[in-house]
Amino acid sequence: MNRIMAALFLPMLFFSAACTNREYTRTPRTGTEQLLIGHALERSMGALQLPVPAPATAAIEVIGLVGQRQLLQPGFLGNGPMINNNAAGGNVPDVREGNLPMPRPASPDLEMMRAVVEGRLAGMGYQPVERREEADLWVRVLVLALGTDQGQTFFGMPAIQSTVIPFSTPALTLYEAQRQIGYVRYRLQTYDRRTRKWHVPGDWYDGLAYYNQYTLFFFINFRGTDLPQAPKLQ
């Protein structure tokens, strides 16, 4: 009877420990995340075209919500470390307060996007210029998405640490998948200064790259990616 109960209980334990979640990019990005975004950008440029044929001068402007998010330092987000702002002598009471909010600087994603678009247009025969007053074409790039998503699926028994038992057990992984994608989507609005006309197509350009890591039966590790010469942790 005890063997039957154990045979029923263990599969239920493993099934109850399965989970799936999805996370979003955090700055500063890892090297793999940067490669994912760069590869997605390169893929999206393959179909890029302007309504006015080359040769022509073009001024590029990139607009988007990317890089405008400001994150507080971890110490300000709860019971983080405390700093001593008391610069006086020892007779003054010790006054401690939480860390001040420290917004991180905006990421240079849009500048990177502009450089890639300028390089692509230069390869197509257009001549990028800085000032729109000096350009035949004013190209506005509306960035709809530029970033990475992360997801994880775990099946097995997670690590257990208890105050009752004086030791902890490691995670028993039957299957684990850690997935990352880099994704970009944008639209182009082009103003022809010579004809004084706007060209605003309704379609968009997009690109995607992925990097997945898998663990099977505790220690069998492998990965799948479309990144050329993807880095591998040693």
Side-chain angles (χ1 to χ4, degrees):
M1 184 66 179
N2 292 335
R3 293 181 179 179
I4 297 177
M5 293 296 295
L8 294 176
F9 176 74
L10 288 177
M12 293 177 60
L13 179 62
F14 281 121
F15 276 108
S16 64
C19 63
T20 300
N21 59 54
R22 182 171 184 172
E23 298 180 353
Y24 300 94
T25 184
R26 296 181 176 89
T27 54
R29 294 190 175 97
T30 65
T32 301
E33 288 179 312
Q34 296 175 42
L35 288 175
L36 285 171
I37 295 177
H39 194 50
L41 273 174
E42 292 179 356
R43 284 190 160 185
S44 69
M45 295 295 159
L48 185 67
Q49 58 181 340
L50 297 183
V52 180
T57 57
I60 313 300
E61 179 185 17
V62 182
I63 299 176
L65 301 176
V66 183
Q68 302 303 317
R69 184 182 62 175
Q70 292 182 335
L71 301 178
L72 298 179
Q73 295 291 352
F76 191 73
L77 300 179
N79 299 324
M82 307 293 286
I83 59 175
N84 186 2
N85 291 331
N86 178 21
N91 295 329
V92 181
D94 185 16
V95 179
R96 293 177 180 266
E97 59 185 29
N99 290 344
L100 298 177
M102 298 290 290
R104 296 175 180 173
S107 61
D109 293 355
L110 299 184
E111 290 298 322
M112 177 66 179
M113 181 81 176
R114 178 182 176 183
V116 174
V117 173
E118 285 181 344
R120 173 59 178 169
L121 294 182
M124 297 169 60
Y126 299 91
Q127 180 181 353
V129 295
E130 290 293 329
R131 296 171 56 86
R132 71 176 70 169
E133 295 81 3
E134 303 172 354
D136 300 325
L137 304 177
W138 173 26
V139 182
R140 176 185 290 166
V141 183
L142 300 179
V143 181
L144 307 178
L146 178 62
T148 61
D149 283 355
Q150 303 175 14
Q152 182 178 16
T153 299
F154 177 82
F155 182 74
M157 180 183 295
I160 299 177
Q161 185 174 4
S162 174
T163 57
V164 179
I165 304 176
F167 60 88
S168 59
T169 61
L172 302 178
T173 304
L174 296 181
Y175 173 79
E176 182 179 13
Q178 296 180 346
R179 300 174 296 276
Q180 282 186 304
I181 64 169
Y183 184 70
V184 57
R185 176 183 290 185
Y186 55 92
R187 285 177 174 158
L188 297 183
Q189 297 178 349
T190 306
Y191 177 74
D192 191 340
R193 186 174 60 88
R194 297 166 296 187
T195 60
R196 298 184 179 181
K197 291 184 178 180
W198 276 98
H199 301 272
V200 186
D203 54 348
W204 61 73
Y205 303 93
D206 58 2
L208 184 144
Y210 71 92
Y211 185 94
N212 302 333
Q213 299 183 82
Y214 304 94
T215 300
L216 188 64
F217 294 118
F218 313 120
F219 58 86
I220 302 176
N221 299 307
F222 58 96
R223 62 177 181 169
T225 180
D226 57 356
L227 290 177
Q229 298 180 350
K232 183 178 181 181
L233 295 178
Q234 301 296 329

